[in-house]
């Protein structure tokens, strides 16, 4: 059986790490790479990854051409957070007959913010016989797939709370920038409202995914993000933060059913914050899950996108969510063994 053929669409921080991870795996190969950055287009992917040898895959800005020619089984897409912006890119991939796994946060449950685009994309994917999935660490796992999976041992569920707390100082520059480090509280609000910084995208998508898994009908979702204000001088590798300036973000998503809060997802991403995740399920039985080590975001995103490949290659065509696929697991063997029809 041939190797699983993969295209990387978006050779940025995540795309680069996805490519490096795939090079360490068996039964899978990179056959194409797409990006618009003039510094990357025309270069061999090996050079962009900082490898000694070339990979024979030249980064192209013409996605249609390169995807039609290279015929990937799946394209791993990591360029942006909002489906309306990346929609033409996803369409190009689907039109070329490739399955898609994307880190686009709003694609994790696209029917919430973009119902019409979702219907169109689902129809197109079915026509072309391919699967489209939005995934990642969050949305994609911590607030949704993990939560829904934990409820598998519950007879009843009344209320869910999922918390993620992380030390922003340990994260890379774009993350520290997108949560507003060093801004005044006024600048933070202005930039967040103008879409110049995003902080976390996907509270509502995670809530809707969990609700869908449980069969709950959510009648309202609230999303709130506020700055965490520094009380003393703080410093990261990239930013100096004075007292009174923004040291991070605190955000919530709340899902209501019959006007009662039933799902709450909470984020603290601030300099010096504790690294942990916690999930509290009120039901029968009550559950309290905690990871005191904290899940490292980039490693987890890359792993999730790659580990979902066998699930997606064996799924029915259409626009799917993590809830419709079997729960993820690490792929440690040969990818070809996991995509055979009888596995
Ligand atoms: N779901 C999750 O858990 C999760 C986790 C991590 C990241 N994400 C999301 O995944 C996305 C990628 O993250 P990242 O950190 O890798 O971002 P990044 O470093 O900015 O990389 C994005 C890359 O895509 C390129 N690009 C932009 N528009 C393009 C287009 N139209 N065609 C081809 N390439 C294009 C960019 O080029 P330029 O540099 O020239 O713009 C850049 O090289 C972000 O939206 C991020 O929020 C989601």
């Amino acid at each position: 059986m041939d190797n699983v053929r993969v295209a990387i669409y978006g050779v940025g921080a995540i795309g680069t790490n996805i490519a490096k991870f795939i090079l360490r795996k068996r039964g899978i190969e990179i056959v194409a790479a797409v990006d618009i950055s003039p510094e990357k287009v025309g270069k061999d992917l090996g050079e962009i990854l900082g490898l000694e040898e070339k990979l024979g895959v030249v980064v192209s800005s013409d996605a249609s051409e390169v995807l039609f020619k290279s015929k990937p089984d799946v394209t791993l897409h990591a360029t942006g957070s909002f489906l309306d912006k990346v929609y033409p890119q996803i369409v190009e991939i689907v039109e070329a007959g490739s399955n898609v796994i994307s880190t686009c946060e709003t694609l994790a449950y696209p029917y919430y913010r973009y119902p019409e685009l979702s219907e169109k994309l689902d129809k197109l994917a079915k026509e072309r016989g391919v699967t489209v999935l939005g995934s990642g660490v969050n949305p994609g796992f911590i607030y949704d797939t993990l939560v829904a999976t934990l409820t598998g041992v519950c007879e009843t569920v009344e209320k869910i709370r999922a918390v993620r707390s992380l030390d922003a100082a340990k994260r890379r520059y774009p993350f520290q920038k997108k949560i507003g480090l060093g801004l005044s509280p006024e600048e933070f609000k202005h930039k967040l409202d103008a879409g110049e910084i995003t902080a976390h995208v996907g509270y509502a998508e995670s809530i809707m995914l969990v609700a869908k898994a449980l069969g709950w009908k959510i009648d309202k979702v609230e999303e709130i993000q506020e700055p965490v204000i520094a009380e003393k001088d703080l410093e990261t590798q990239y930013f100096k933060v004075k007292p009174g300036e923004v040291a991070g973000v605190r955000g919530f998503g709340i899902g209501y059913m019959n006007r009662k809060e039933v799902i709450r997802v909470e984020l603290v991403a601030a300099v010096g914050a504790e690294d942990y995740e916690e999930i509290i399920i009120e039901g029968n039985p009550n559950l309290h899950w905690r990871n005191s080590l904290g899940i490292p975001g980039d490693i987890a995103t890359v792993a999730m996108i790659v580990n979902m490949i066998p699930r997606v290659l064996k799924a029915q065509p259409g626009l799917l969510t993590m809830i419709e696929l079997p729960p993820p697991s690490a792929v440690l063997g040969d990818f070809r063994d996991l995509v055979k029809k009888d596995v």
Side-chain angles (χ1 to χ4, degrees):
M1 190 182 171
D2 292 337
N3 282 341
V4 173
R5 297 168 67 78
V6 178
I8 310 287
Y9 197 129
V11 193
I14 297 293
T16 304
N17 283 319
I18 286 175
K20 286 183 183 162
F21 185 48
I22 287 176
L23 292 176
R24 304 203 300 270
K25 309 299 276 184
R26 278 183 291 139
I28 187 163
E29 65 181 300
I30 301 169
V31 296
V34 177
D35 203 287
I36 45 161
S37 166
E39 286 112 66
K40 295 172 194 160
V41 174
K43 286 195 181 145
D44 187 90
L45 184 60
E47 190 185 335
I48 290 167
L49 302 186
L51 308 177
E52 308 247 307
E53 76 276 26
K54 290 192 172 181
L55 294 174
V57 174
V58 175
V59 177
S60 168
S61 57
D62 189 339
S64 280
E65 189 197 47
V66 79
L67 295 177
F68 269 103
K69 266 197 198 149
S70 60
K71 298 191 176 33
D73 298 306
V74 59
T75 299
L76 306 179
H77 172 267
T79 68
S81 304
F82 295 97
L83 181 59
D84 54 346
K85 301 259 165 48
V86 305
Y87 185 76
Q89 302 162 27
I90 306 281
V91 167
E92 268 178 324
I93 303 169
V94 172
E95 295 275 16
S98 168
N99 295 290
V100 188
I101 306 176
S102 174
T103 59
C104 173
E105 288 94 333
T106 53
L107 190 61
Y109 187 85
Y111 297 94
Y112 175 70
R113 262 175 251 266
Y114 307 104
E116 284 168 23
L117 285 184
S118 304
E119 295 297 340
K120 270 171 67 181
L121 191 53
D122 183 49
K123 190 165 171 279
L124 184 68
K126 283 178 178 150
E127 277 167 19
R128 299 286 157 153
V130 299
T131 304
V132 178
L133 174 73
S135 189
V137 65
N138 208 31
F141 188 66
I142 296 173
Y143 287 161
D144 38 67
T145 307
L146 178 58
V147 171
T149 305
L150 285 173
T151 67
V153 293
C154 296
E155 283 184 356
T156 59
V157 177
E158 309 297 331
K159 202 171 177 183
I160 294 169
R161 178 167 166 248
V163 183
R164 185 182 193 198
S165 170
L166 60 92
D167 181 358
K170 295 181 187 157
R171 302 298 295 266
R172 59 192 159 86
Y173 172 79
F175 184 89
Q176 297 188 10
K177 187 164 178 254
K178 80 171 181 184
I179 62 167
L181 290 197
L183 298 177
S184 70
E186 297 73 30
E187 282 170 327
F188 176 93
K189 189 179 176 326
H190 172 77
K191 284 181 184 277
L192 194 65
D193 290 347
E196 290 169 30
I197 57 170
T198 55
H200 177 71
V201 179
Y203 299 102
E205 283 74 7
S206 290
I207 288 169
M208 297 306 287
L209 277 172
V210 172
K212 181 170 177 165
L214 270 57
W216 278 355
K217 297 267 178 280
I218 295 293
D219 34 51
K220 190 175 85 171
V221 177
E222 268 173 14
E223 294 184 294
I224 302 148
Q225 300 206 94
E226 293 162 350
V228 172
I229 306 301
E231 289 175 4
K232 55 179 185 185
D233 282 309
L234 298 168
E235 194 169 343
T236 73
Q237 199 184 342
Y238 310 107
F239 290 91
K240 285 196 166 113
V241 183
K242 297 200 193 76
E245 291 178 347
V246 174
V249 64
R250 181 175 288 115
F252 304 85
I254 305 171
Y256 297 88
M257 186 167 67
N258 302 326
R259 299 196 198 154
K260 217 176 103 214
E261 177 183 319
V262 286
I263 305 173
R264 174 183 284 248
V265 294
E266 296 177 21
L267 175 76
V268 178
V271 178
E274 191 185 347
D275 286 305
Y276 72 92
E277 295 88 27
E278 197 166 57
I279 297 169
I280 297 150
I281 297 171
E282 291 176 30
N284 183 26
N286 291 316
L287 295 179
H288 189 161
W289 176 94
R290 184 181 163 100
N291 171 30
S292 304
L293 302 177
I295 296 175
D298 285 357
I299 294 175
T301 301
V302 167
M304 179 65 77
I305 295 298
V306 175
N307 288 330
M308 286 310 290
I309 291 174
R311 304 276 194 265
V312 164
L313 293 187
K314 295 187 83 173
Q316 77 268 29
L319 174 55
L320 299 185
T321 65
M322 287 295 290
I323 295 307
E324 279 125 2
L325 292 169
S329 45
V331 178
L332 304 180
D334 190 309
F335 271 78
R336 290 168 294 190
D337 293 340
L338 291 172
V339 300
K340 284 182 198 151
K341 288 280 173 269
D342 57 341
V343 180

